[in-house]
Amino acid sequence: MLTFIGLGLYDETDISLKGLERIRRSEHVFLERYTSILTGTDPGRLEALFGKPLRMLDREDVENHPETFLTLAKDADVAFLTAGDPMVSTTHIDLRIRAASMGIETSIIHGASIVSAVCGLTGLQNYRFGKSCSLPFPYGRWAPTTPIEVIEHNMAENLHTLVYLDIQPGRYMTVHEAVGMLEGMAAERGLSIPVYVGVARAGSPSPVVAAGDAAALEGVDFGDPLHILVVPGDLHLMERDYLETFAGL
């Protein structure tokens, strides 16, 4: 049995009781740490809570060599842990399909997701979000164009865009970096983005949420990671009221 278990948004206290019970009875516990991480804790604190040793998985382990844990799941209970909710990531959807093709039974224990947390923190209505996108760091002379294409399309449809910010080993994209990149891309396409909404440390005791144009957000100290960004469409009256009340719009 392979069980995908979401750990929630910020630290070890976010896990559900169901998830904790399943981990404690699993024979092998793996922690995937590249699609997202819990910045409010560390592996030692997780192991102390679980009473189990953790085996860490990086991108190469999950995408190219999943046999490491899939083979174990044929004959033993294996817990595959992720920050947030496991099936928000297409990587994990693919992994579950692979497991099924090998005849491995699977199950999911969900955790709090940034997808729903952003709606609660910003007041932006969940049914008004269009396609989301990921914004990676530039590599050499290469810079992505897909994010601004997605944003432009959503804005034309009056939809909000959730922009996932790049996570690399020891490096986390900030709201300020993301806004700077998007402003440059938008200028090249003749596009104006009037409002951004930045969120930092969702699920923590002190998240930061701030809304405004690029110049306004320059003066906001978002603090430690993880950060995420929303580019909203035209705001509904209640959405604007919420952002004015809780995000300084």
Side-chain angles (χ1 to χ4, degrees):
M1 163 75 84
L2 176 65
T3 305
F4 296 85
I5 302 175
L7 300 179
L9 294 169
Y10 183 68
D11 63 21
E12 72 275 13
T13 65
D14 287 340
I15 190 171
S16 68
L17 292 176
K18 183 186 295 183
L20 182 58
E21 188 274 333
R22 183 67 63 87
I23 290 170
R24 287 176 172 171
R25 76 172 197 233
S26 295
E27 296 166 74
H28 306 279
V29 183
F30 293 86
L31 175 61
E32 182 272 282
R33 57 181 179 179
Y34 78 90
T35 57
S36 189
I37 60 170
L38 301 180
T39 58
T41 190
D42 57 52
R45 285 163 58 182
L46 291 171
E47 288 180 330
L49 175 64
F50 301 157
K52 295 276 185 176
L54 293 176
R55 296 172 64 178
M56 304 301 171
L57 298 173
D58 295 318
R59 181 186 294 273
E60 181 74 11
D61 302 315
V62 177
E63 295 186 353
N64 297 327
H65 301 289
E67 64 275 3
T68 303
F69 50 90
L70 290 182
T71 302
L72 291 172
K74 288 183 176 182
D75 302 305
D77 285 331
V78 174
F80 181 90
L81 314 183
T82 71
D85 186 273
M87 293 304 151
V88 170
S89 170
T90 54
T91 295
H92 304 149
I93 291 173
D94 176 70
L95 186 59
R96 193 179 188 205
I97 293 171
R98 290 199 207 188
S101 71
M102 296 171 63
I104 298 169
E105 186 180 357
T106 62
S107 64
I108 305 168
I109 298 176
H110 297 282
S113 169
I114 190 62
V115 175
S116 56
V118 159
C119 295
L121 289 170
T122 66
L124 297 173
Q125 297 162 356
N126 68 321
Y127 58 85
R128 295 197 58 218
F129 278 79
K131 181 180 178 180
S132 61
C133 61
S134 296
L135 182 61
F137 285 110
Y139 182 78
R141 294 185 177 182
W142 175 85
T145 58
T146 300
I148 199 65
E149 293 167 2
V150 170
I151 289 169
E152 185 173 28
H153 174 78
N154 284 344
M155 289 179 69
E157 299 293 326
N158 200 21
L159 298 172
H160 309 320
T161 307
L162 184 61
V163 184
Y164 294 97
L165 307 188
D166 200 1
I167 299 173
Q168 297 181 2
R171 187 184 185 193
Y172 311 96
M173 185 178 290
T174 66
V175 168
H176 292 149
E177 290 171 320
V179 169
M181 291 175 61
L182 292 176
E183 283 288 289
M185 294 180 202
E188 290 181 358
R189 300 176 74 88
L191 178 67
S192 175
I193 300 178
V195 176
Y196 295 92
V197 185
V199 177
R201 296 175 308 287
S204 76
S206 54
V208 174
V209 184
D213 61 16
L217 291 194
E218 283 183 4
V220 177
D221 180 6
F222 285 94
D224 294 334
L226 292 174
H227 295 187
I228 198 163
L229 187 68
V230 183
V231 178
D234 292 339
L235 296 171
H236 180 276
L237 180 61
M238 184 177 292
E239 292 176 318
R240 179 171 292 279
D241 188 25
Y242 196 102
L243 289 172
E244 289 174 350
T245 303
F246 298 108
L249 182 64

